């Protein structure tokens, strides 16, 4: 990951957004969202070797691939939720940002339901 490029994109986008907000507030928000998405894509693309390593470690530990999929889905929901909530906060909509965060938390819980079922099954086997 080229952190210098990401920081450069962020600072440039912040400056462009600040200038645009003075004259056309809605365009400043679009610039901020576009930069956020660009940075997110750059970060996620640099994480692909890490995903390979996680899969390799899961195979060595003989962990079910469904558990890794749940983890990765939950992480994706967290990243997307944070991006959306921060974009709403940037536009002055803190209440909407809070609702987005609540929805993200609920989505993570729903994604994790199979994990909870598996854990409860293991507990039942141990108790009985």
């Amino acid at each position: 990951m080229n952190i210098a490029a990401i920081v450069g994109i962020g600072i440039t986008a912040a400056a462009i957004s600040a200038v645009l907000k003075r004259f056309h507030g809605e365009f400043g928000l679009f610039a901020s969202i576009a930069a956020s998405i660009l940075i997110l894509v750059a970060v996620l693309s640099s994480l692909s070797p890490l995903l390979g390593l996680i899969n390799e470690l899961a195979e060595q530990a003989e962990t079910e691939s469904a558990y890794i999929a749940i983890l990765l889905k939950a992480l994706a929901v967290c990243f997307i939720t944070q991006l959306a909530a921060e974009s709403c906060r940037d536009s002055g909509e803190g209440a909407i940002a809070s609702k987005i965060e609540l929805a993200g938390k609920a989505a993570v819980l729903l994604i994790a339901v199979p994990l909870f079922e598996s854990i409860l099954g293991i507990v039942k086997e141990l108790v009985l």
Side-chain angles (χ1 to χ4, degrees):
M1 174 170 45
N2 187 352
I3 193 68
I6 291 173
V7 168
I9 290 169
I11 291 172
T12 304
I16 290 171
S17 179
V19 169
L20 288 175
K21 281 182 183 177
R22 278 193 172 159
F23 302 108
H24 301 287
E26 64 275 1
F27 292 126
L29 175 64
F30 292 139
S32 176
I33 291 172
S36 297
I37 291 171
L38 184 64
I39 291 170
L40 182 64
V41 167
V43 169
L44 291 178
S45 67
S46 69
L47 291 179
S48 61
L50 180 62
L51 295 177
L53 178 64
I54 289 172
N55 284 330
E56 199 175 297
L57 291 173
E59 288 175 9
Q60 290 176 1
E62 298 177 6
T63 304
E64 285 189 43
S65 62
Y67 298 148
I68 301 302
I70 290 169
L71 171 70
L72 295 178
K73 285 178 187 177
L75 281 172
V77 167
C78 291
F79 285 141
I80 292 168
T81 300
Q82 184 176 3
L83 173 69
E86 290 300 323
S87 295
C88 288
R89 279 195 187 89
D90 285 348
S91 68
E93 296 295 335
I96 295 173
S98 297
K99 303 315 178 275
I100 289 173
E101 288 173 341
L102 178 63
K105 291 171 186 175
V108 168
L109 284 174
L110 289 172
I111 290 169
V113 165
L115 256 169
F116 294 136
E117 290 173 344
S118 176
I119 291 170
L120 285 175
I122 292 170
V123 169
K124 282 182 182 179
E125 287 178 17
L126 291 174
V127 171
L128 299 176

